[in-house]
Amino acid sequence: MRHMATAAMAFTLALASLAGCSTDSRKDVRFTFSKREAISYMQDVVNDFNSSQDRYRINLDTSGVDVVSASFVRGNPPDLMLANYNFEVARFIDRCALSDLSSTDAASTADLETFGTLMAQYGECKGRISALPYSIMSSAVIYNKQIFAEQGLEVPRTWDELIAVADHLKAVGIDPFYGTFKDAWTVGQGWFDYAAGGSIDVVQFFDQVRDAADKVGPGSPASFQKDFAQPMNKMAHLLSYTNRDAASRAYADGNLAIAQGKAAMYLQGPWAFSEIAKSAPDLELGTFPLPMTNDPNDLAVRVNIDLAAMIPVDAREPEGARTFLEYLYRPEVIHAYNASQLGFTPLIGASAPDDPRVAGMIPYYSEGKIYQGPSVLIPKSIPVFNYAQAMVTGGGIEHNLSIIDTDWSRLAYRQPKED
């Protein structure tokens, strides 16, 4: 009986093994996704794809960019990446470690005329389309529509109009701006980027400082000390219109304060809307570009490539990766994702988001009046967020801009020289 029981158990295990093999013979595709706020949404997209076909099984990997970078070193990169487009992932492009996507349907529908130039600011592998834009985040000044309406204020379109609005609000006891300077990134992505992006030609500036390489400084055609001095001094002027405790307030404090109507304007991106809505779901908010000159034609909004799609050269399942890539770029899929995140869809002829909170940015975005935030175009080894934070907390503008010049030159000097 003991032998019979053993044989029966072995037979049962064999059947189970065979059943497991027969039920799912799909090829596994490793898909990394870096936007933590949208993980649950993207998991639903993956589930929908997996249930729609029987050739590939997409496995969502959210382990983060550090793990992904290490996987390239080990020769085991993901099959498909949908990641924030920054200097970290651009390293793979410069080294031609990513596949050419030019033959995909996704590439033919992506708005590369608009965003290809912005993506090339990070780096490129000549002759290849190594990455495709998937989600564009546009950001500008968030303002409380009710406060503006009660005070009879119009959205400012020039620097003088902005100062007049701020003076009026301050006179009636309302903080014009809410500052969250305790968190350095909020200064860098907001105050620093808006002030510079609204004042200079960002693409031209970074082309010039890259050409100057290790000679960036007061004597070079472009430098942070020269070109950023006026924007940063104007930024410093706006500090007198912030809450008195701005230096000790963090991002979460700012979201709550705006929800409670404690200030009229907030220099943050659309990611703040969902946080504000937790405390004030019915609060009417709008957006407008920060005017830094007295010419309305200079108005522009900050954008960043929030997500870009990439397939490594060494992907183990490149065909499965391309199949899922094409699925992700189906209009109904990519539009729905961006609508859920208040992002702009980077497809040719794509409609803008219909959320009224971002409506103020749409005319500028549609006309191509956009710029990438200077803070994201500076290599991470230069702690620009900390320098920006120092500038708004009394560390000195000229001093910190000269440090950025020095850091840039030192970093360029250490880079390998081309033959």
Side-chain angles (χ1 to χ4, degrees):
M1 292 182 65
R2 186 166 58 248
H3 290 305
M4 291 174 63
T6 301
M9 183 177 294
F11 182 70
T12 301
L13 290 173
L15 283 178
S17 177
L18 289 172
C21 292
S22 63
T23 56
D24 197 340
S25 59
R26 293 182 291 182
K27 296 179 180 179
D28 286 313
V29 177
R30 181 181 161 211
F31 166 50
T32 64
F33 180 68
S34 69
K35 190 173 178 66
R36 305 205 66 81
E37 305 94 320
I39 288 175
S40 61
Y41 186 95
M42 188 54 66
Q43 183 63 67
D44 290 339
V45 173
V46 167
N47 293 343
D48 289 342
F49 175 80
N50 284 341
S51 63
S52 71
Q53 48 76 51
D54 58 6
R55 293 184 62 197
Y56 303 106
R57 178 174 51 239
I58 307 300
N59 298 311
L60 183 62
D61 176 8
T62 59
S63 53
V65 68
D66 291 337
V67 175
V68 171
S69 297
S71 72
F72 273 84
V73 177
R74 295 193 303 267
N76 181 34
D79 297 305
L80 175 65
M81 302 163 57
L82 200 55
N84 181 251
Y85 199 73
N86 53 31
F87 278 107
E88 187 65 26
V89 298
R91 292 187 305 147
F92 310 136
I93 291 176
D94 279 336
R95 291 164 174 78
C96 293
L98 300 175
S99 300
D100 182 11
L101 301 177
S102 59
S103 63
T104 62
D105 291 338
S108 68
T109 60
D111 187 359
L112 297 178
E113 183 177 350
T114 299
F115 298 105
T117 302
L118 299 185
M119 296 176 76
Q121 285 186 277
Y122 288 100
E124 59 183 331
C125 176
K126 291 185 178 180
R128 293 186 190 179
I129 296 177
S130 301
L132 297 174
Y134 192 79
S135 180
I136 308 298
M137 281 293 166
S138 183
S139 54
V141 180
I142 295 174
Y143 75 102
N144 186 313
K145 289 185 175 181
Q146 181 178 341
I147 291 177
F148 268 59
E150 290 175 348
Q151 297 301 320
L153 299 173
E154 297 290 333
V155 168
R157 291 174 48 79
T158 67
W159 171 258
D160 287 346
E161 290 175 0
L162 176 67
I163 297 304
V165 166
D167 283 336
H168 175 95
L169 290 167
K170 190 172 182 179
V172 297
I174 299 172
D175 283 331
F177 295 94
Y178 199 90
T180 55
F181 304 154
K182 182 179 179 181
D183 285 337
W185 71 269
T186 70
V187 183
Q189 291 190 7
W191 295 79
F192 180 85
D193 279 357
Y194 292 3
S199 305
I200 67 171
D201 184 326
V202 176
V203 173
Q204 178 179 312
F205 172 80
F206 278 93
D207 283 345
Q208 290 178 329
V209 293
R210 287 194 185 96
D211 288 342
D214 59 345
K215 301 296 189 295
V216 169
S220 60
S223 79
F224 291 91
Q225 293 178 70
K226 292 192 310 182
D227 296 82
F228 278 54
Q230 185 183 44
M232 293 303 104
N233 279 304
K234 282 189 171 182
M235 176 188 73
H237 182 68
L238 295 180
L239 299 180
S240 62
Y241 298 107
T242 61
N243 44 305
R244 291 184 178 180
D245 57 354
S248 63
R249 299 294 92 187
Y251 174 61
D253 301 316
N255 295 331
L256 181 59
I258 295 300
Q260 295 174 339
K262 291 185 177 180
M265 294 175 283
Y266 192 36
L267 273 58
Q268 265 298 348
W271 45 82
F273 286 131
S274 59
E275 297 301 312
I276 296 169
K278 290 177 181 178
S279 301
D282 299 323
L283 184 63
E284 289 191 38
L285 299 172
T287 47
F288 65 86
L290 183 70
M292 291 298 296
T293 75
N294 278 321
D295 185 353
N297 290 322
D298 291 334
L299 292 171
V301 293
R302 179 190 187 274
V303 298
N304 68 291
I305 315 298
D306 199 48
L307 290 175
M310 296 157 277
I311 297 177
V313 170
D314 293 332
R316 294 185 177 182
E317 290 295 341
E319 292 306 315
R322 283 176 175 253
T323 299
F324 187 52
L325 173 75
E326 303 288 21
Y327 178 84
L328 287 173
Y329 275 83
R330 289 183 182 179
E332 67 272 19
V333 176
I334 189 172
H335 282 305
Y337 171 81
N338 279 289
S340 73
Q341 304 300 311
L342 294 181
F344 288 74
T345 302
L347 297 184
I348 298 170
S351 58
D354 59 3
D355 191 300
R357 293 173 294 183
V358 300
M361 295 187 285
I362 292 174
Y364 303 96
Y365 177 92
S366 300
E367 295 174 16
K369 294 183 176 181
I370 57 178
Y371 61 87
Q372 284 201 100
S375 69
V376 301
L377 295 171
I378 297 172
K380 287 189 174 182
S381 54
I382 299 176
V384 64
F385 286 175
N386 298 96
Y387 297 147
Q389 184 184 46
M391 282 188 266
V392 300
T393 54
I397 290 173
E398 183 178 355
H399 172 67
N400 280 282
L401 291 178
S402 68
I403 293 176
I404 298 176
D405 275 349
T406 301
D407 285 357
W408 184 283
S409 297
R410 185 182 296 115
L411 182 62
Y413 181 80
R414 295 200 305 264
Q415 297 301 313
K417 304 297 187 293
E418 295 183 4
D419 296 332

